[in-house]
Amino acid sequence: MPNLLNNRSLRILVLCNKMPFPPTDGGSIAMLNMLTGLSDAGNNVDVLAMQTPKHHFQINQLPQHLTSNIQWSGVAVNTDIKPIRLVANLLFSREPYNAVRFYSHEFDNALVAKLKHKQYDIVQLEGLYLSSYIDTIRRHSLALIALRAHNVEWQIWHQLYLSEPNKIKKLYKKVLANRVKRLEFKTLQNVDLLVPITETDAIKLPFANKEKVHVSPTGIVQRNFSLPRQPQNLQSFFYIGALDWEPNQQAILWFLQNVWQKFKLQNPKWTFVIAGRNAPTDFENQLKLFDVDYQGEVKDAQQFVDEQNVMVVPLLSGSGMRIKIVEAMSRSKCVITTPIGAEGIKAENGKHLFICKTADDMLSQMNAIVADNKCVGKMASEAYSFALNHYCNSNIIAELNKFYQQWV
């Protein structure tokens, strides 16, 4: 039974598979807002983060408001894909290469040092691929282990396998999806608490003790909300997100091929602006085949969003919650997305955002916006109110804190 009497400051160690700063992609935003929320709630929060090649940020350069109450440690971990190791893993292992890339002896040693130095109440794993360190935590700590499930990982790879046209890649993704599923289900048996981001994911993840499951969506920090304002680029649709994530690449190329080319012929003055970090060279070369404004990584993501008009998130595969959608709504943006993109966000189609099931639906909706741009302003106001009522970070973290207090 939960302990309802305990109501003290918790000692929480959060393990991150990348530095969550700067918050330029959904995963980073999810981690950073969680960390600041737990700290603001009065908890003693330590962070042990991997300094990966793609997400490397010096801790001594973090802004003061993140270091005054949160203790940060970083370990350099090379998570780059190495073809020889990938093939060896495929042939001689049953573990998914996704997870293997995130195991590091140096990180494990740093974790042991943390656990020996301080007694924690909770060790929170930010995602499945930190499950390799569960045995180390058990050996050196009595803390409860909480898995924060950003997605149902195996489902993402299963969707990518189903949509992959290349036969060799399709076979590999099928193997990978099965391995990730096996790891995910095994991990659920070895953690104490489950914190999925959406109710949909909570249902799909077979965790034995439902009392120890708490759905905690990613919240938006109060200061990042913005009332509707006139965008600088009125005749624009835009996309912003991590461009090294395959579902995002797949979504953009599908949109360009099936929607944007037709729309652009009918509306030559409108632009599609794409921003995001870590785009592979071959993906950038594919974008050059289309009439788009590709900006790569932008210095200020919020400023970029504010300057554009309508966000498009054409996801065809994925799980969890599209944090960039909620963030855009909190900035008073009209959003067009797919059922996969809207999954986990309790927004009403046609009121808070537009959900399009097919390419033709999306094209029709975009043409309707061109014909009557006033609907964008109305949608922007509704989106802002919805985000404020449902995704205020302090309220979400307060509920999570109660959940943790119950079981410590």
PDB file of all heavy atoms in Angstrom, residues 125-154:
ATOM      1  N   LEU A 125      14.787   6.950 -14.720  1.00  0.00           N
ATOM      2  CA  LEU A 125      15.397   6.686 -16.021  1.00  0.00           C
ATOM      3  C   LEU A 125      14.611   7.423 -17.086  1.00  0.00           C
ATOM      4  O   LEU A 125      13.403   7.186 -17.256  1.00  0.00           O
ATOM      5  CB  LEU A 125      15.388   5.185 -16.333  1.00  0.00           C
ATOM      6  CG  LEU A 125      15.913   4.229 -15.259  1.00  0.00           C
ATOM      7  CD1 LEU A 125      15.804   2.791 -15.742  1.00  0.00           C
ATOM      8  CD2 LEU A 125      17.340   4.572 -14.876  1.00  0.00           C
ATOM      9  N   GLU A 126      15.280   8.306 -17.807  1.00  0.00           N
ATOM     10  CA  GLU A 126      14.610   9.048 -18.874  1.00  0.00           C
ATOM     11  C   GLU A 126      14.652   8.230 -20.171  1.00  0.00           C
ATOM     12  O   GLU A 126      15.420   8.501 -21.079  1.00  0.00           O
ATOM     13  CB  GLU A 126      15.266  10.414 -19.067  1.00  0.00           C
ATOM     14  CG  GLU A 126      14.972  11.408 -17.964  1.00  0.00           C
ATOM     15  CD  GLU A 126      13.541  11.929 -17.996  1.00  0.00           C
ATOM     16  OE1 GLU A 126      12.965  12.019 -19.101  1.00  0.00           O
ATOM     17  OE2 GLU A 126      12.986  12.237 -16.926  1.00  0.00           O
ATOM     18  N   GLY A 127      13.812   7.219 -20.228  1.00  0.00           N
ATOM     19  CA  GLY A 127      13.699   6.423 -21.443  1.00  0.00           C
ATOM     20  C   GLY A 127      14.236   5.013 -21.306  1.00  0.00           C
ATOM     21  O   GLY A 127      15.021   4.685 -20.411  1.00  0.00           O
ATOM     22  N   LEU A 128      13.806   4.157 -22.224  1.00  0.00           N
ATOM     23  CA  LEU A 128      14.109   2.733 -22.200  1.00  0.00           C
ATOM     24  C   LEU A 128      15.597   2.438 -22.287  1.00  0.00           C
ATOM     25  O   LEU A 128      16.091   1.489 -21.664  1.00  0.00           O
ATOM     26  CB  LEU A 128      13.384   2.050 -23.362  1.00  0.00           C
ATOM     27  CG  LEU A 128      13.669   0.574 -23.579  1.00  0.00           C
ATOM     28  CD1 LEU A 128      13.175  -0.250 -22.396  1.00  0.00           C
ATOM     29  CD2 LEU A 128      13.044   0.091 -24.877  1.00  0.00           C
ATOM     30  N   TYR A 129      16.347   3.245 -23.058  1.00  0.00           N
ATOM     31  CA  TYR A 129      17.726   2.879 -23.355  1.00  0.00           C
ATOM     32  C   TYR A 129      18.690   3.134 -22.198  1.00  0.00           C
ATOM     33  O   TYR A 129      19.900   2.966 -22.342  1.00  0.00           O
ATOM     34  CB  TYR A 129      18.182   3.575 -24.635  1.00  0.00           C
ATOM     35  CG  TYR A 129      17.326   3.166 -25.817  1.00  0.00           C
ATOM     36  CD1 TYR A 129      16.883   4.102 -26.735  1.00  0.00           C
ATOM     37  CD2 TYR A 129      16.935   1.841 -25.985  1.00  0.00           C
ATOM     38  CE1 TYR A 129      16.078   3.723 -27.811  1.00  0.00           C
ATOM     39  CE2 TYR A 129      16.140   1.450 -27.049  1.00  0.00           C
ATOM     40  CZ  TYR A 129      15.710   2.393 -27.953  1.00  0.00           C
ATOM     41  OH  TYR A 129      14.915   2.016 -29.014  1.00  0.00           O
ATOM     42  N   LEU A 130      18.153   3.505 -21.040  1.00  0.00           N
ATOM     43  CA  LEU A 130      18.954   3.572 -19.818  1.00  0.00           C
ATOM     44  C   LEU A 130      18.732   2.342 -18.944  1.00  0.00           C
ATOM     45  O   LEU A 130      19.251   2.256 -17.833  1.00  0.00           O
ATOM     46  CB  LEU A 130      18.620   4.844 -19.042  1.00  0.00           C
ATOM     47  CG  LEU A 130      19.111   6.131 -19.727  1.00  0.00           C
ATOM     48  CD1 LEU A 130      18.326   7.335 -19.252  1.00  0.00           C
ATOM     49  CD2 LEU A 130      20.596   6.343 -19.492  1.00  0.00           C
ATOM     50  N   SER A 131      17.971   1.380 -19.455  1.00  0.00           N
ATOM     51  CA  SER A 131      17.655   0.183 -18.676  1.00  0.00           C
ATOM     52  C   SER A 131      18.892  -0.671 -18.412  1.00  0.00           C
ATOM     53  O   SER A 131      18.894  -1.507 -17.503  1.00  0.00           O
ATOM     54  CB  SER A 131      16.594  -0.650 -19.394  1.00  0.00           C
ATOM     55  OG  SER A 131      17.055  -1.071 -20.671  1.00  0.00           O
ATOM     56  N   SER A 132      19.953  -0.480 -19.200  1.00  0.00           N
ATOM     57  CA  SER A 132      21.191  -1.244 -18.988  1.00  0.00           C
ATOM     58  C   SER A 132      21.786  -0.996 -17.607  1.00  0.00           C
ATOM     59  O   SER A 132      22.624  -1.788 -17.142  1.00  0.00           O
ATOM     60  CB  SER A 132      22.224  -0.860 -20.047  1.00  0.00           C
ATOM     61  OG  SER A 132      21.731  -1.072 -21.351  1.00  0.00           O
ATOM     62  N   TYR A 133      21.380   0.081 -16.947  1.00  0.00           N
ATOM     63  CA  TYR A 133      21.987   0.461 -15.669  1.00  0.00           C
ATOM     64  C   TYR A 133      21.134   0.055 -14.468  1.00  0.00           C
ATOM     65  O   TYR A 133      21.477   0.384 -13.335  1.00  0.00           O
ATOM     66  CB  TYR A 133      22.244   1.967 -15.654  1.00  0.00           C
ATOM     67  CG  TYR A 133      23.126   2.401 -16.803  1.00  0.00           C
ATOM     68  CD1 TYR A 133      22.578   2.910 -17.973  1.00  0.00           C
ATOM     69  CD2 TYR A 133      24.509   2.240 -16.735  1.00  0.00           C
ATOM     70  CE1 TYR A 133      23.387   3.270 -19.048  1.00  0.00           C
ATOM     71  CE2 TYR A 133      25.318   2.594 -17.802  1.00  0.00           C
ATOM     72  CZ  TYR A 133      24.749   3.102 -18.951  1.00  0.00           C
ATOM     73  OH  TYR A 133      25.550   3.448 -20.016  1.00  0.00           O
ATOM     74  N   ILE A 134      20.051  -0.690 -14.708  1.00  0.00           N
ATOM     75  CA  ILE A 134      19.175  -1.097 -13.603  1.00  0.00           C
ATOM     76  C   ILE A 134      19.919  -1.990 -12.616  1.00  0.00           C
ATOM     77  O   ILE A 134      19.817  -1.812 -11.389  1.00  0.00           O
ATOM     78  CB  ILE A 134      17.915  -1.803 -14.146  1.00  0.00           C
ATOM     79  CG1 ILE A 134      17.006  -0.781 -14.842  1.00  0.00           C
ATOM     80  CG2 ILE A 134      17.156  -2.494 -13.012  1.00  0.00           C
ATOM     81  CD1 ILE A 134      15.770  -1.382 -15.487  1.00  0.00           C
ATOM     82  N   ASP A 135      20.689  -2.966 -13.108  1.00  0.00           N
ATOM     83  CA  ASP A 135      21.427  -3.863 -12.207  1.00  0.00           C
ATOM     84  C   ASP A 135      22.410  -3.087 -11.332  1.00  0.00           C
ATOM     85  O   ASP A 135      22.560  -3.380 -10.134  1.00  0.00           O
ATOM     86  CB  ASP A 135      22.178  -4.920 -13.023  1.00  0.00           C
ATOM     87  CG  ASP A 135      21.242  -5.954 -13.630  1.00  0.00           C
ATOM     88  OD1 ASP A 135      20.075  -6.018 -13.188  1.00  0.00           O
ATOM     89  OD2 ASP A 135      21.663  -6.666 -14.553  1.00  0.00           O
ATOM     90  N   THR A 136      23.073  -2.095 -11.914  1.00  0.00           N
ATOM     91  CA  THR A 136      24.011  -1.275 -11.137  1.00  0.00           C
ATOM     92  C   THR A 136      23.280  -0.527 -10.025  1.00  0.00           C
ATOM     93  O   THR A 136      23.761  -0.453  -8.882  1.00  0.00           O
ATOM     94  CB  THR A 136      24.724  -0.272 -12.066  1.00  0.00           C
ATOM     95  OG1 THR A 136      25.495  -0.992 -13.027  1.00  0.00           O
ATOM     96  CG2 THR A 136      25.637   0.652 -11.273  1.00  0.00           C
ATOM     97  N   ILE A 137      22.120   0.010 -10.343  1.00  0.00           N
ATOM     98  CA  ILE A 137      21.340   0.738  -9.331  1.00  0.00           C
ATOM     99  C   ILE A 137      20.933  -0.203  -8.212  1.00  0.00           C
ATOM    100  O   ILE A 137      21.041   0.136  -7.014  1.00  0.00           O
ATOM    101  CB  ILE A 137      20.091   1.390  -9.976  1.00  0.00           C
ATOM    102  CG1 ILE A 137      20.498   2.402 -11.043  1.00  0.00           C
ATOM    103  CG2 ILE A 137      19.235   2.070  -8.905  1.00  0.00           C
ATOM    104  CD1 ILE A 137      19.358   2.864 -11.920  1.00  0.00           C
ATOM    105  N   ARG A 138      20.477  -1.403  -8.556  1.00  0.00           N
ATOM    106  CA  ARG A 138      20.049  -2.364  -7.545  1.00  0.00           C
ATOM    107  C   ARG A 138      21.211  -2.770  -6.620  1.00  0.00           C
ATOM    108  O   ARG A 138      21.028  -2.959  -5.421  1.00  0.00           O
ATOM    109  CB  ARG A 138      19.482  -3.615  -8.218  1.00  0.00           C
ATOM    110  CG  ARG A 138      18.199  -3.409  -9.001  1.00  0.00           C
ATOM    111  CD  ARG A 138      17.045  -3.025  -8.118  1.00  0.00           C
ATOM    112  NE  ARG A 138      15.780  -3.018  -8.871  1.00  0.00           N
ATOM    113  CZ  ARG A 138      14.734  -2.295  -8.551  1.00  0.00           C
ATOM    114  NH1 ARG A 138      14.787  -1.485  -7.500  1.00  0.00           N
ATOM    115  NH2 ARG A 138      13.631  -2.360  -9.265  1.00  0.00           N
ATOM    116  N   ARG A 139      22.403  -2.902  -7.179  1.00  0.00           N
ATOM    117  CA  ARG A 139      23.555  -3.331  -6.380  1.00  0.00           C
ATOM    118  C   ARG A 139      24.013  -2.264  -5.386  1.00  0.00           C
ATOM    119  O   ARG A 139      24.545  -2.591  -4.325  1.00  0.00           O
ATOM    120  CB  ARG A 139      24.730  -3.698  -7.292  1.00  0.00           C
ATOM    121  CG  ARG A 139      24.578  -5.040  -7.987  1.00  0.00           C
ATOM    122  CD  ARG A 139      25.919  -5.528  -8.533  1.00  0.00           C
ATOM    123  NE  ARG A 139      26.513  -4.567  -9.454  1.00  0.00           N
ATOM    124  CZ  ARG A 139      26.309  -4.572 -10.766  1.00  0.00           C
ATOM    125  NH1 ARG A 139      25.489  -5.469 -11.300  1.00  0.00           N
ATOM    126  NH2 ARG A 139      26.898  -3.683 -11.550  1.00  0.00           N
ATOM    127  N   HIS A 140      23.797  -1.002  -5.725  1.00  0.00           N
ATOM    128  CA  HIS A 140      24.399   0.067  -4.924  1.00  0.00           C
ATOM    129  C   HIS A 140      23.391   1.016  -4.278  1.00  0.00           C
ATOM    130  O   HIS A 140      23.798   2.003  -3.657  1.00  0.00           O
ATOM    131  CB  HIS A 140      25.355   0.880  -5.802  1.00  0.00           C
ATOM    132  CG  HIS A 140      26.496   0.080  -6.349  1.00  0.00           C
ATOM    133  ND1 HIS A 140      27.609  -0.228  -5.602  1.00  0.00           N
ATOM    134  CD2 HIS A 140      26.681  -0.503  -7.563  1.00  0.00           C
ATOM    135  CE1 HIS A 140      28.442  -0.953  -6.332  1.00  0.00           C
ATOM    136  NE2 HIS A 140      27.907  -1.132  -7.524  1.00  0.00           N
ATOM    137  N   SER A 141      22.093   0.721  -4.404  1.00  0.00           N
ATOM    138  CA  SER A 141      21.109   1.656  -3.859  1.00  0.00           C
ATOM    139  C   SER A 141      19.813   0.934  -3.506  1.00  0.00           C
ATOM    140  O   SER A 141      19.456  -0.085  -4.120  1.00  0.00           O
ATOM    141  CB  SER A 141      20.820   2.761  -4.883  1.00  0.00           C
ATOM    142  OG  SER A 141      19.795   3.612  -4.437  1.00  0.00           O
ATOM    143  N   LEU A 142      19.116   1.478  -2.518  1.00  0.00           N
ATOM    144  CA  LEU A 142      17.780   0.997  -2.158  1.00  0.00           C
ATOM    145  C   LEU A 142      16.693   1.880  -2.764  1.00  0.00           C
ATOM    146  O   LEU A 142      15.516   1.722  -2.451  1.00  0.00           O
ATOM    147  CB  LEU A 142      17.635   0.972  -0.628  1.00  0.00           C
ATOM    148  CG  LEU A 142      18.577   0.018   0.121  1.00  0.00           C
ATOM    149  CD1 LEU A 142      18.400   0.172   1.622  1.00  0.00           C
ATOM    150  CD2 LEU A 142      18.328  -1.426  -0.314  1.00  0.00           C
ATOM    151  N   ALA A 143      17.074   2.797  -3.638  1.00  0.00           N
ATOM    152  CA  ALA A 143      16.114   3.731  -4.230  1.00  0.00           C
ATOM    153  C   ALA A 143      15.110   2.996  -5.105  1.00  0.00           C
ATOM    154  O   ALA A 143      15.404   1.950  -5.705  1.00  0.00           O
ATOM    155  CB  ALA A 143      16.852   4.771  -5.068  1.00  0.00           C
ATOM    156  N   LEU A 144      13.914   3.545  -5.189  1.00  0.00           N
ATOM    157  CA  LEU A 144      12.932   3.059  -6.151  1.00  0.00           C
ATOM    158  C   LEU A 144      13.360   3.498  -7.545  1.00  0.00           C
ATOM    159  O   LEU A 144      13.820   4.628  -7.738  1.00  0.00           O
ATOM    160  CB  LEU A 144      11.549   3.628  -5.835  1.00  0.00           C
ATOM    161  CG  LEU A 144      10.920   3.216  -4.494  1.00  0.00           C
ATOM    162  CD1 LEU A 144       9.611   3.971  -4.294  1.00  0.00           C
ATOM    163  CD2 LEU A 144      10.704   1.715  -4.433  1.00  0.00           C
ATOM    164  N   ILE A 145      13.207   2.615  -8.518  1.00  0.00           N
ATOM    165  CA  ILE A 145      13.564   2.940  -9.892  1.00  0.00           C
ATOM    166  C   ILE A 145      12.285   3.259 -10.665  1.00  0.00           C
ATOM    167  O   ILE A 145      11.363   2.442 -10.725  1.00  0.00           O
ATOM    168  CB  ILE A 145      14.309   1.776 -10.570  1.00  0.00           C
ATOM    169  CG1 ILE A 145      15.585   1.460  -9.806  1.00  0.00           C
ATOM    170  CG2 ILE A 145      14.629   2.132 -12.012  1.00  0.00           C
ATOM    171  CD1 ILE A 145      16.361   0.277 -10.362  1.00  0.00           C
ATOM    172  N   ALA A 146      12.246   4.454 -11.223  1.00  0.00           N
ATOM    173  CA  ALA A 146      11.101   4.893 -12.016  1.00  0.00           C
ATOM    174  C   ALA A 146      11.510   4.994 -13.480  1.00  0.00           C
ATOM    175  O   ALA A 146      12.521   5.622 -13.799  1.00  0.00           O
ATOM    176  CB  ALA A 146      10.590   6.242 -11.519  1.00  0.00           C
ATOM    177  N   LEU A 147      10.749   4.365 -14.347  1.00  0.00           N
ATOM    178  CA  LEU A 147      10.973   4.486 -15.787  1.00  0.00           C
ATOM    179  C   LEU A 147      10.040   5.547 -16.337  1.00  0.00           C
ATOM    180  O   LEU A 147       8.811   5.391 -16.279  1.00  0.00           O
ATOM    181  CB  LEU A 147      10.727   3.157 -16.495  1.00  0.00           C
ATOM    182  CG  LEU A 147      10.751   3.210 -18.032  1.00  0.00           C
ATOM    183  CD1 LEU A 147      12.133   3.612 -18.554  1.00  0.00           C
ATOM    184  CD2 LEU A 147      10.319   1.872 -18.630  1.00  0.00           C
ATOM    185  N   ARG A 148      10.614   6.616 -16.842  1.00  0.00           N
ATOM    186  CA  ARG A 148       9.793   7.611 -17.531  1.00  0.00           C
ATOM    187  C   ARG A 148       9.758   7.229 -19.004  1.00  0.00           C
ATOM    188  O   ARG A 148      10.745   7.374 -19.723  1.00  0.00           O
ATOM    189  CB  ARG A 148      10.360   9.017 -17.360  1.00  0.00           C
ATOM    190  CG  ARG A 148       9.375  10.067 -17.884  1.00  0.00           C
ATOM    191  CD  ARG A 148       9.939  11.450 -17.747  1.00  0.00           C
ATOM    192  NE  ARG A 148       8.952  12.439 -18.136  1.00  0.00           N
ATOM    193  CZ  ARG A 148       9.239  13.607 -18.699  1.00  0.00           C
ATOM    194  NH1 ARG A 148      10.500  13.931 -18.934  1.00  0.00           N
ATOM    195  NH2 ARG A 148       8.291  14.448 -19.020  1.00  0.00           N
ATOM    196  N   ALA A 149       8.623   6.708 -19.431  1.00  0.00           N
ATOM    197  CA  ALA A 149       8.477   6.183 -20.791  1.00  0.00           C
ATOM    198  C   ALA A 149       8.046   7.312 -21.720  1.00  0.00           C
ATOM    199  O   ALA A 149       6.880   7.709 -21.734  1.00  0.00           O
ATOM    200  CB  ALA A 149       7.457   5.049 -20.814  1.00  0.00           C
ATOM    201  N   HIS A 150       8.989   7.821 -22.494  1.00  0.00           N
ATOM    202  CA  HIS A 150       8.676   8.882 -23.451  1.00  0.00           C
ATOM    203  C   HIS A 150       7.819   8.352 -24.602  1.00  0.00           C
ATOM    204  O   HIS A 150       7.052   9.099 -25.209  1.00  0.00           O
ATOM    205  CB  HIS A 150       9.969   9.473 -24.021  1.00  0.00           C
ATOM    206  CG  HIS A 150      10.753  10.268 -23.036  1.00  0.00           C
ATOM    207  ND1 HIS A 150      11.161  11.568 -23.278  1.00  0.00           N
ATOM    208  CD2 HIS A 150      11.209   9.984 -21.798  1.00  0.00           C
ATOM    209  CE1 HIS A 150      11.836  12.031 -22.240  1.00  0.00           C
ATOM    210  NE2 HIS A 150      11.883  11.079 -21.330  1.00  0.00           N
ATOM    211  N   ASN A 151       7.993   7.064 -24.928  1.00  0.00           N
ATOM    212  CA  ASN A 151       7.265   6.432 -26.023  1.00  0.00           C
ATOM    213  C   ASN A 151       7.069   4.962 -25.697  1.00  0.00           C
ATOM    214  O   ASN A 151       7.631   4.443 -24.745  1.00  0.00           O
ATOM    215  CB  ASN A 151       8.063   6.493 -27.350  1.00  0.00           C
ATOM    216  CG  ASN A 151       8.522   7.882 -27.715  1.00  0.00           C
ATOM    217  OD1 ASN A 151       7.747   8.699 -28.168  1.00  0.00           O
ATOM    218  ND2 ASN A 151       9.809   8.148 -27.516  1.00  0.00           N
ATOM    219  N   VAL A 152       6.267   4.297 -26.521  1.00  0.00           N
ATOM    220  CA  VAL A 152       6.309   2.837 -26.590  1.00  0.00           C
ATOM    221  C   VAL A 152       7.306   2.541 -27.708  1.00  0.00           C
ATOM    222  O   VAL A 152       6.968   2.583 -28.887  1.00  0.00           O
ATOM    223  CB  VAL A 152       4.928   2.236 -26.890  1.00  0.00           C
ATOM    224  CG1 VAL A 152       5.007   0.710 -26.974  1.00  0.00           C
ATOM    225  CG2 VAL A 152       3.921   2.648 -25.823  1.00  0.00           C
ATOM    226  N   GLU A 153       8.550   2.283 -27.328  1.00  0.00           N
ATOM    227  CA  GLU A 153       9.641   2.244 -28.302  1.00  0.00           C
ATOM    228  C   GLU A 153       9.455   1.178 -29.369  1.00  0.00           C
ATOM    229  O   GLU A 153       9.707   1.413 -30.557  1.00  0.00           O
ATOM    230  CB  GLU A 153      10.979   2.038 -27.588  1.00  0.00           C
ATOM    231  CG  GLU A 153      11.437   3.197 -26.724  1.00  0.00           C
ATOM    232  CD  GLU A 153      11.882   4.401 -27.540  1.00  0.00           C
ATOM    233  OE1 GLU A 153      12.146   4.242 -28.744  1.00  0.00           O
ATOM    234  OE2 GLU A 153      11.950   5.501 -26.970  1.00  0.00           O
ATOM    235  N   TRP A 154       9.027  -0.021 -28.984  1.00  0.00           N
ATOM    236  CA  TRP A 154       8.933  -1.091 -29.967  1.00  0.00           C
ATOM    237  C   TRP A 154       7.886  -0.762 -31.030  1.00  0.00           C
ATOM    238  O   TRP A 154       8.019  -1.143 -32.202  1.00  0.00           O
ATOM    239  CB  TRP A 154       8.627  -2.433 -29.290  1.00  0.00           C
ATOM    240  CG  TRP A 154       7.186  -2.620 -28.868  1.00  0.00           C
ATOM    241  CD1 TRP A 154       6.656  -2.385 -27.643  1.00  0.00           C
ATOM    242  CD2 TRP A 154       6.114  -3.112 -29.680  1.00  0.00           C
ATOM    243  NE1 TRP A 154       5.315  -2.664 -27.625  1.00  0.00           N
ATOM    244  CE2 TRP A 154       4.947  -3.129 -28.878  1.00  0.00           C
ATOM    245  CE3 TRP A 154       6.006  -3.524 -31.013  1.00  0.00           C
ATOM    246  CZ2 TRP A 154       3.707  -3.551 -29.349  1.00  0.00           C
ATOM    247  CZ3 TRP A 154       4.766  -3.947 -31.480  1.00  0.00           C
ATOM    248  CH2 TRP A 154       3.631  -3.964 -30.664  1.00  0.00           C
TER     249      TRP A 154
END
